[in-house]
Amino acid sequence: MLVKKISYYDEFQCLMGECPQSCCKGWRIPLDDKAIRRFRNEKGLWGMRLRAAMHGKVQPSFSPYCFRCPFLRLDGKCGMQIKKGEDYLAEICRTYPRIRFCPGPYTELQLDLSCVHVAELFLKHQEDQFFVEEESEEEQEQTGDNDDALYLEALEESRRQLTSVMTEASAEGDGEVLNEALKNIVAYAATVQDKMMREGIAEPEALRTGFELSEETEWLPDCFPLPIALINQLMSTDFYQDGMQYVLPLLYKLCRMYYKHFDKLSYEDGEKEWQRLFQKHIAKDPGRVKMYGAYYNSHLLRTYMECYEDYSFLKHTMDGVIGLNVIMLFEVLWREKYGSLSDRDLAKIISVCERRVYHNEVVEKEMMKMIMKEKR
Ligand code: SF4
């Protein structure tokens, strides 16, 4: 089967004990059915340890309160992997941060930026994100049940067009151009979704004609940057919680920086301050616009094809706008406070924001609800 890998896929190797932001902390670790059966059938002391670590009756998980996996050793290595080998682990632990999409005719392999090392690889390869194609003998299980080849082809073409719109816009290094491009992409996604879901227009036609039909962008807020009032609403969803200081201390620190800077300002003064910080940030480093464009493209490459199964065009395009703005907000505040930001620190910021925005269903849903209110 044809396998398409993101250009830096083979460079990934887990940092294990050297990881500055281990994925074995700060998350609930959901267990798959096979792992649950395997763990429940274990005998002796090891079996007892496993059962004590599994929480929840129907779909048990490790670390339900998101502190740390009970098998994570003090040296940062996985005690279960060392004792039993990689094949024994739950599926999520074996595969993370790899993302596999197999619609039938081919397989796409990508990496999730919620892993700090993947975020570092993204920063290193932000200008060369493409798919490397190769034939593989390995059997690939299909990831969904849609088998509409024409829709798949049109969706791939649509993703190719959207990423090239973004690449061209960000190459100009101009925030306003990037803002317009993002608004056009989101308006396109909203139009395509409406045409398919409400008007019953066939998927390939809706995707092909979406750009011609989606002239209206007035209902959309500015996307680069989002207005501070909207960011403030997003931050007041479940995104920020006091308990985060124990499970995601970096994100907690970043949120505290945000509240300290903006809390005492009215929306009007907050917007002026946000625009001041944003303009200063872009003027100091115009190359940043390109990086944000590359980040948005990375988001499209990783999530847009999910529309093949869920038809949620608006969600997948708007999610990226939210992620981009939250990352930019924290980067701007960090630079304002400390003067500079290393690539490793930026990778850490990207990774925690990705965890909170895209891997927390409650936060993701709440954020989308706020954006959709703007559409009405
Ligand atoms: S976050 Fe990435 S590099 Fe760090 S432990 Fe997890 S998979 Fe490994």
Side-chain angles (χ1 to χ4, degrees), residues 66-299:
C66 305
F67 289 114
R68 57 184 282 140
C69 174
F71 298 96
L72 176 65
R73 302 191 332 181
L74 290 177
D75 62 3
K77 293 182 181 158
C78 171
M80 186 183 284
Q81 185 173 355
I82 288 169
K83 185 173 171 69
K84 295 284 197 176
E86 193 175 346
D87 289 347
Y88 184 84
L89 304 180
E91 193 187 352
I92 188 92
C93 304
R94 263 198 327 267
T95 54
Y96 179 84
R98 296 166 190 89
I99 306 168
R100 198 175 68 85
F101 168 68
C102 179
Y106 64 87
T107 295
E108 253 182 36
L109 299 175
Q110 301 201 54
L111 294 166
D112 196 318
L113 266 68
S114 58
C115 158
V116 67
H117 186 44
V118 175
E120 285 177 327
L121 289 174
F122 155 72
L123 289 172
K124 185 173 153 205
H125 291 280
Q126 54 184 284
E127 288 183 27
D128 53 37
Q129 302 182 81
F130 55 88
F131 287 108
V132 178
E133 297 190 356
E134 59 187 47
E135 281 298 328
S136 166
E137 299 286 302
E138 214 178 299
E139 228 174 88
Q140 299 282 350
E141 200 182 323
Q142 193 163 332
T143 44
D145 49 22
N146 200 346
D147 59 1
D148 183 341
L150 289 179
Y151 176 32
L152 182 64
E153 210 177 293
L155 194 59
E156 281 181 330
E157 176 56 21
S158 161
R159 181 177 64 172
R160 200 196 54 71
Q161 279 183 5
L162 297 187
T163 51
S164 76
V165 164
M166 195 35 44
T167 306
E168 272 174 38
S170 58
E172 296 200 24
D174 181 331
E176 276 179 34
V177 176
L178 192 71
N179 180 37
E180 276 314 304
L182 284 168
K183 286 176 80 165
N184 285 332
I185 288 175
V186 176
Y188 164 83
T191 308
V192 167
Q193 194 167 316
D194 270 5
K195 296 279 156 205
M196 282 183 195
M197 310 298 272
R198 293 199 191 166
E199 296 177 28
I201 294 184
E203 292 89 337
E205 193 192 337
L207 284 161
R208 203 177 47 250
T209 53
F211 265 125
E212 292 152 34
L213 303 169
S214 66
E215 278 156 23
E216 272 193 37
T217 55
E218 291 92 59
W219 63 271
L220 272 163
D222 276 336
C223 291
F224 187 75
L226 283 171
I228 200 68
L230 194 49
I231 291 183
N232 195 55
Q233 285 181 50
L234 296 172
M235 296 284 291
S236 53
T237 61
D238 233 22
F239 185 82
Y240 168 78
Q241 289 174 348
D242 272 344
M244 233 158 56
Q245 59 188 302
Y246 307 109
V247 296
L248 280 176
L250 174 63
L251 192 57
Y252 178 77
K253 177 179 166 175
L254 294 165
C255 291
R256 294 307 315 158
M257 276 164 80
Y258 164 74
Y259 284 119
K260 203 169 163 205
H261 202 98
F262 286 97
D263 230 14
K264 293 205 175 77
L265 302 178
S266 64
Y267 277 144
E268 206 174 282
D269 289 343
E271 184 59 32
K272 279 189 202 145
E273 175 59 3
W274 176 220
Q275 287 295 336
R276 182 190 74 77
L277 290 172
F278 170 74
Q279 297 300 345
K280 183 175 156 192
H281 176 59
I282 298 301
K284 204 169 166 189
D285 186 357
R288 264 336 200 207
V289 176
K290 222 171 175 183
M291 191 281 282
Y292 294 124
Y295 171 79
Y296 192 78
N297 267 351
S298 154
H299 176 80

Side-chain angles (χ1 to χ4, degrees), residues 12-25 27 72 76 93 95-98 112 114-118 120 351 355:
F12 173 75
Q13 209 170 13
C14 175
L15 301 176
M16 293 198 278
E18 305 299 313
C19 183
Q21 210 158 259
S22 169
C23 54
C24 307
K25 290 185 210 163
W27 266 352
L72 176 65
C93 304
T95 54
Y96 179 84
R98 296 166 190 89
D112 196 318
S114 58
C115 158
V116 67
H117 186 44
V118 175
E120 285 177 327
S351 143
R355 287 187 192 192

